């Protein structure tokens, strides 16, 4: 149980293009998902909290118009990096909070991550 | 500012030994604590969660929590080379968010 998938696992794009990353909870409903970014040899940096059916809450310093988050269903959240530039190259990881009715409600389960390279 | 602090390591232990990983946190409002393992190039994997003072054991792993000292630890018994990874400590409070430490790199020597 508590499996989270991400797609794509790796993407290479040209500067100026937009990239969409999908995060799915496969065997449970996730009312809350999180998006993190991790640069090499650094820890996870929370970008935003995504709540199903409402606007995402962004962390300080994260541009909401650049990193568009949509959480339209209880099993899917998407992150779109708009007009990507080389400095956006990073490892993007989503996580989902456990099902509200399960003992894992306070736990976060991570997807496998998406490695973005912007040329 | 709410912080979770860990020694970055590397912590080197011989195969079969006990690895002891430590973590301190600053937010007394934190109610839940987690240990994640992250292999190089991969995403974090939840190993242990602990919510109350004392010890919690799961196989070769034991998590310890001392809220008075604001201290969390993870013991790995009979360490194996496959345990070599970065271990992330995280604390959660009233909000949904987790505060992560920078991680401790563990190297188990065969």
């Amino acid at each position: 149980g508590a499996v989270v998938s991400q797609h794509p696992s790796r993407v290479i794009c040209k500067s100026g293009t937009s990239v969409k990353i999908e995060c799915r909870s496969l065997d449970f409903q996730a009312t809350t998902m999180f998006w993190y970014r991790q640069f090499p040899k650094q820890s996870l940096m929370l970008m935003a909290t995504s709540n199903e059916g409402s606007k995402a809450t962004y962390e300080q310093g994260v541009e909401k118009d650049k990193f568009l988050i949509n959480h339209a269903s209880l099993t899917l959240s998407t992150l779109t990096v708009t007009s990507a530039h080389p400095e956006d190259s990073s490892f993007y990881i989503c996580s989902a909070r456990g099902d509200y009715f399960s003992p894992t409600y306070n736990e976060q389960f991570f997807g496998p991550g998406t490695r973005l390279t912007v040329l | 500012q709410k912080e979770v602090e860990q020694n970055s390591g590397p912590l080197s232990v011989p195969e079969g030994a006990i690895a002891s990983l430590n973590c301190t946190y600053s937010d007394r409002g934190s109610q839940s604590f987690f240990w994640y393992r992250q292999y190089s190039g991969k995403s974090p994997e939840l190993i242990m969660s602990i919510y109350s003072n004392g010890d919690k054991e799961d196989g070769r792993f034991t998590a310890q929590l001392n809220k008075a000292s604001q201290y969390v630890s993870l013991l790995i018994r009979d360490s194996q080379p496959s345990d070599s990874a970065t271990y992330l400590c995280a604390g959660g409070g009233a909000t949904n968010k987790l505060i992560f430490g920078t991680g401790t790199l563990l190297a188990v020597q065969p």
Side-chain angles (χ1 to χ4, degrees):
Chain A
V3 178
V4 178
S5 71
Q6 258 182 267
H7 179 81
S9 59
R10 185 180 297 268
V11 59
I12 301 173
C13 69
K14 293 181 178 180
S15 184
T17 60
S18 294
V19 175
K20 179 184 281 189
I21 302 170
E22 292 186 349
C23 178
R24 294 181 184 273
S25 56
L26 296 185
D27 52 0
F28 66 104
Q29 293 183 331
T31 54
T32 304
M33 292 184 173
F34 303 88
W35 286 97
Y36 294 85
R37 181 166 54 181
Q38 187 175 37
F39 292 106
K41 299 191 183 302
Q42 295 186 23
S43 190
L44 299 168
M45 186 195 84
L46 178 65
M47 299 175 67
T49 301
S50 171
N51 293 297
E52 186 268 334
S54 64
K55 291 183 178 180
T57 303
Y58 291 82
E59 295 299 299
Q60 191 173 6
V62 178
E63 300 174 58
K64 62 180 181 180
D65 294 330
K66 181 170 183 62
F67 299 100
L68 301 178
I69 292 172
N70 184 281
H71 192 162
S73 78
L74 287 172
T75 59
L76 174 64
S77 177
T78 60
L79 168 69
T80 301
V81 183
T82 63
S83 186
H85 288 92
E87 58 265 30
D88 298 322
S89 298
S90 188
F91 191 39
Y92 291 85
I93 315 172
C94 73
S95 72
R97 192 170 182 179
D99 191 293
Y100 184 79
F101 298 104
S102 80
T104 62
Y105 179 61
N106 287 315
E107 299 173 358
Q108 285 187 29
F109 301 94
F110 284 85
T114 298
R115 193 161 301 280
L116 171 63
T117 302
V118 184
L119 303 176
Chain B
Q1 185 175 352
K2 301 173 184 177
E3 292 182 345
V4 173
E5 296 190 358
Q6 297 180 253
N7 187 319
S8 61
L11 173 65
S12 183
V13 300
E15 183 174 356
I18 296 175
S20 178
L21 304 162
N22 305 312
C23 169
T24 59
Y25 61 94
S26 63
D27 182 14
R28 285 197 173 273
S30 295
Q31 301 160 2
S32 52
F33 301 89
F34 307 91
W35 284 99
Y36 287 85
R37 177 176 62 198
Q38 186 175 24
Y39 292 112
S40 180
K42 303 294 184 181
S43 67
E45 173 191 8
L46 180 64
I47 299 176
M48 292 283 286
S49 59
I50 187 166
Y51 303 98
S52 55
N53 281 327
D55 296 358
K56 179 182 177 182
E57 185 174 321
D58 183 1
R60 296 187 294 113
F61 300 98
T62 298
Q64 299 173 319
L65 173 60
N66 183 324
K67 291 186 178 181
S69 301
Q70 296 177 244
Y71 177 88
V72 192
S73 67
L74 179 70
L75 300 178
I76 306 175
R77 290 180 298 280
D78 188 23
S79 295
Q80 301 296 310
S82 59
D83 294 326
S84 299
T86 296
Y87 289 80
L88 300 169
C89 172
T95 67
N96 290 328
K97 299 188 291 187
L98 292 181
I99 307 297
F100 281 89
T102 54
T104 298
L105 178 62
L106 172 66
V108 180
Q109 307 299 327

